[in-house]
Structure formats: C-alpha cells, structure tokens
Amino acid sequence: MRPLAVGLASAWLVLGTPAQAQVEGRPLDPCPAARDVRPPDLYGLWHFSLWPSGGNEDAAVSRGAMLLEAHPEYPDSVRGQLKRSTRTDEVKAQVSGDVTDGGFNLDESDDGVAMSAVWTGDISPSDCRLDIRGTRRAAEGRSGGDPDWNFRLIKAPARR
C-alpha cells in the first residue's frame, strides 16, 4: 500500500475539475447488498459534497476528497484523511469509522485529538458502485463550528 501522503496528493489534483467529483467508482464484483459492504470495500479515494439541510447537492457549500485505508489498530474500521474547500478556505482533517449493516459512521478530527464532526449515513450500492449519503454534524459539545450538512460520498475509480 502506498503512503497516505502520496495518495492524498493525487486526490487533491482532481479536485480542481468539478466533473471529476461526480465520477463514480468502478463496479464492485460481486455486487454486494448494502448490509454486506465491509471496510475493505471503503478503501480508496472518495469525492464528496456538503450542502445545508433543506438544500440540494447542486448548491454544495464545500467539496473535497477523502482517502480511506485500513485502520492499523481496528481491523473492522477505516482511517484516513480528508481535504475540502469552503468559500473562504481549505480544511484538512483526520477521519476514522466503520460500516455496519449498510450504515456508515465516521468521526472527523481537525486536530488529530478531539472529535470535531460526526458523519452518519447509508450505503447504497447502485449499479454495484458505492454511494453514501447522510448527515455531517458538529461533534457533541462543539460550539461555533460548522452547521449540520447533508453529504454525498462517491467512490472514485480505482487506478488500474
């Protein structure tokens, strides 16, 4: 497995092209039911959009990329990094989470210590491609942070 930093550098290059953010990953083989998706199915590069509750994805307030790899301490989990743009700056964070019975849970930390946000969503392997939709909200006890946002994660094609 190549180092996380090299993979993230590649991910950032594709963020400048809006059409790239909409590319879906290659089909999984065999095509799993959402409840059968396992952490290794999440490994790789993901593109995402964040938009306000009540809004729609076309009016995203932030877009970014997330690279997920095997968690070194917990075999049924993933860990990685994300980078996203906002209207005024760029945000980097560490993430870790899991998938259970089609449910997706991810913790985000902007300082590598305390949780800053929680992502919860549902996996829907449409056409055998992973697509995750849900809500990203500020972590409990976190004030002055981002509001609750809807999200969509789309797995990028694997390099051949």
Side-chain angles (χ1 to χ4, degrees):
M1 198 174 333
R2 60 189 178 167
L4 185 60
V6 173
L8 283 173
S10 299
W12 307 154
L13 293 175
V14 299
L15 287 177
T17 309
Q20 278 291 101
Q22 299 305 314
V23 175
E24 294 186 11
R26 66 183 174 86
L28 296 172
D29 185 26
C31 184
R35 71 181 178 284
D36 296 329
V37 172
R38 301 288 174 244
D41 297 324
L42 301 179
Y43 299 166
L45 178 63
W46 294 77
H47 299 283
F48 64 87
S49 300
L50 299 168
W51 65 94
S53 298
N56 65 52
E57 186 177 1
D58 293 333
V61 296
S62 184
R63 296 186 188 276
M66 182 182 303
L67 183 63
L68 297 177
E69 299 178 317
H71 196 294
E73 299 168 34
Y74 304 104
D76 292 332
S77 298
V78 295
R79 184 162 77 180
Q81 295 184 355
L82 70 77
K83 183 176 178 180
R84 66 181 174 87
S85 62
T86 67
R87 290 188 173 116
T88 58
D89 62 358
E90 188 175 275
V91 176
K92 296 178 184 179
Q94 295 177 9
V95 294
S96 62
D98 57 33
V99 57
T100 306
D101 296 326
F104 175 77
N105 300 291
L106 194 71
D107 297 334
E108 177 183 332
S109 174
D110 54 13
D111 65 4
V113 178
M115 197 173 0
S116 54
V118 177
W119 301 53
T120 55
D122 296 309
I123 295 175
S124 59
S126 57
D127 297 328
C128 295
R129 299 172 197 273
L130 291 182
D131 188 343
I132 304 173
R133 296 172 187 257
T135 304
R136 179 194 176 274
R137 61 178 173 75
E140 193 170 314
R142 197 68 187 212
S143 62
D146 296 326
D148 290 356
W149 285 334
N150 292 321
F151 74 82
R152 181 177 185 200
L153 281 160
I154 301 172
K155 192 162 187 191
R159 291 191 174 191
R160 296 179 189 244

